[in-house]
């Protein structure tokens, strides 16, 4: 089955013993009655542990990433928390330097207090060998995003996962920006693929959620235990919304990508743009304005159609300013060192008519320098 077919059908097969719904019902029940004391009905006991709507979603997600087991959580960061609880005090994790701001905060401000140690380094491109120097006896995990956020560097997941395997580490790939339409890390040798489903997978800015997909049975049983023990599960209603969003994932990603290519072409023709980052797929673009902080903010505030907002991957275009918004918590010196300058803008190209988007960008670029 191809991915667009999977996204529409897996998990939602009609149950002919019941009513034959073609859409997965929202099972709101928090608990499930059984006829015999030691026999849960159809495997369900209590909705934190397992819920039929969430289960349908988890089957769908596993299929999309070509994994075997998936777990849905109440946010992307809840998914990350579950992944980190696979480790124990004293363990060391190597993290790509250009990670999502909330990921960096979770690692450095929360988990570091519980004895996990993190090294944030750039192992993109030909800097991959730095990994071998950074990995030590305590290292248990490599954590990366590709493309990275907001500089959109693409990493060689296959080579990184090979190093991970050789050193017996768990390689985690946050696949939020690429989606399984453009990249399936488990096929490239990664152990865990992680999503903030809040972004492209749901795609409509109306649900916060997260997911983990794995192939390995042992890893899956540990994650199943943690999902229930920690309890940050996705609600039945959000599970339904996500299943609904996923049905159009393929077609949405094609249009996001199409629109992004055209926006990039327009940006290339503008003299106030110093640098454009676009990996050539998906809908995320970042660019550096040849302008100071005040003018860059004026550019953002002059946009009429494109909303200034955190988040990304939705039908509506969203723009944000990493230096003062998503990445503001990174100390100035460190921020500049990793290339997050004051003129850097991150744009999530939506599904509007691309000419309307270009027109909006053009007028805002004229406004901010006038
Ligand atoms: C948004 C995001 C997260 C965090 O997910 P939430 O759903 O906001 O908790 C993690 N990684 C990436 C790449 C993100 O964009």
């Amino acid at each position: 089955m191809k991915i667009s077919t999977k996204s529409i059908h897996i998990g939602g097969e009609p149950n002919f013993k019941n009513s034959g719904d073609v859409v997965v019902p929202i099972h709101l029940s928090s608990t499930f009655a059984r006829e015999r004391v030691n026999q849960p009905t159809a495997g369900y006991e209590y909705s934190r542990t397992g819920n039929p709507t969430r289960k349908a979603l988890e089957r769908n997600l596993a299929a999309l990433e070509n994994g075997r087991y998936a777990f849905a959580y109440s946010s992307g960061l809840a998914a990350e928390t579950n992944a980190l609880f696979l480790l124990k005090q004293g363990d060391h994790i190597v993290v790509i330097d250009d990670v999502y701001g909330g990921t960096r905060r979770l690692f450095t401000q929360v988990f570091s207090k519980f004895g996990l140690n993190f090294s944030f380094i750039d192992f993109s491109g030909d800097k991959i060998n730095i990994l071998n120097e950074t990995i030590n006896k305590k290292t248990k995990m490599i954590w990366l995003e590709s493309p990275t956020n907001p500089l959109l560097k693409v990493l060689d997941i296959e080579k990184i996962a090979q190093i991970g395997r050789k050193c017996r580490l768990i390689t985690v790939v946050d696949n939020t920006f690429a989606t399984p339409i453009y990249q399936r890390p488990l096929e490239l040798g990664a152990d865990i693929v992680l999503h903030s489903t809040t972004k492209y997978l749901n795609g409509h800015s109306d649900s916060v959620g997260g997911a983990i997909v794995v192939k390995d049975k042992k890893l899956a049983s540990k994650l199943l235990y943690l999902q229930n023990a920690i309890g940050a599960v996705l609600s039945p209603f959000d599970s339904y919304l996500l299943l609904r969003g996923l049905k159009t994932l393929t077609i949405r990603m094609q249009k996001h990508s199409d629109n992004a290519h055209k926006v990039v072409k327009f940006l290339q023709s503008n003299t106030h743009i110093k640098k454009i980052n676009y990996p050539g797929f998906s809908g995320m673009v970042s660019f550096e304005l040849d302008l100071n902080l005040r003018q860059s903010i004026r550019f953002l505030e002059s946009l009429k159609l494109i909303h200034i907002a955190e988040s990304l991957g939705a039908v509506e275009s969203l723009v944000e300013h990493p230096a003062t918004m998503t990445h503001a918590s990174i100390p100035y010196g460190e921020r500049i060192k990793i290339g997050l300058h004051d003129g850097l803008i991150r744009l999530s190209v939506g599904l509007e008519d691309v000419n309307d988007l270009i027109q909006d960008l053009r007028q805002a670029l004229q406004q901010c320098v006038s």
Side-chain angles (χ1 to χ4, degrees), residues 13-170:
E13 301 84 351
N15 181 344
F16 294 109
K17 289 202 195 92
N18 287 329
S19 48
D21 305 67
V22 298
V23 169
V24 174
I26 305 175
H27 291 261
L28 292 173
S29 199
S30 61
T31 190
F32 302 90
R34 53 179 91 181
E35 289 178 300
R36 298 272 169 273
V37 167
N38 57 0
Q39 263 176 35
T41 309
Y44 294 105
E45 304 170 24
Y46 182 66
S47 270
R48 166 164 34 74
T49 321
N51 170 280
T53 314
R54 195 175 88 223
K55 189 78 215 161
L57 166 69
E58 291 172 338
R59 286 185 50 217
N60 194 292
L61 291 168
L64 296 185
E65 285 287 2
N66 247 347
R68 291 175 57 201
Y69 311 92
F71 305 91
Y73 304 93
S74 54
S75 71
L77 289 181
E80 296 187 13
T81 298
N82 274 261
L84 285 183
F85 272 116
L86 290 165
L87 305 180
K88 60 178 192 317
Q89 202 172 23
D91 288 348
H92 173 243
I93 301 112
V94 181
V95 188
I96 189 75
D97 61 347
D98 189 19
V99 271
Y100 174 71
T103 301
R104 185 180 274 262
R105 182 178 56 206
L106 178 69
F107 291 4
T108 60
Q109 306 299 312
V110 181
F111 275 98
S112 64
K113 283 198 290 200
F114 295 93
L116 293 185
N117 300 302
F118 301 90
S119 297
F120 291 87
I121 53 165
D122 180 6
F123 48 89
S124 63
D126 52 12
K127 282 171 263 180
I128 188 167
N129 289 329
I130 296 175
L131 271 179
N132 289 312
E133 295 159 32
T134 316
I135 292 168
N136 62 47
K137 276 198 242 108
K138 299 254 162 134
T139 310
K140 291 288 154 59
M141 195 177 260
I142 304 176
W143 190 290
L144 61 108
E145 287 173 24
S146 182
T148 63
N149 175 19
L151 298 176
L152 305 170
K153 290 183 277 198
V154 175
L155 308 189
D156 190 337
I157 295 175
E158 198 161 12
K159 275 208 189 118
I160 295 164
Q162 260 168 24
I163 295 174
R165 188 123 310 172
K166 199 185 70 202
C167 304
R168 303 170 135 261
L169 313 178
I170 300 173

Side-chain angles (χ1 to χ4, degrees), residues 24 112 174 236 241-242 247 261 281 343 346:
V24 174
S112 64
D174 182 334
L241 280 178
L242 194 45
K247 291 181 192 193
H261 275 92
F281 58 88
R346 189 188 77 183

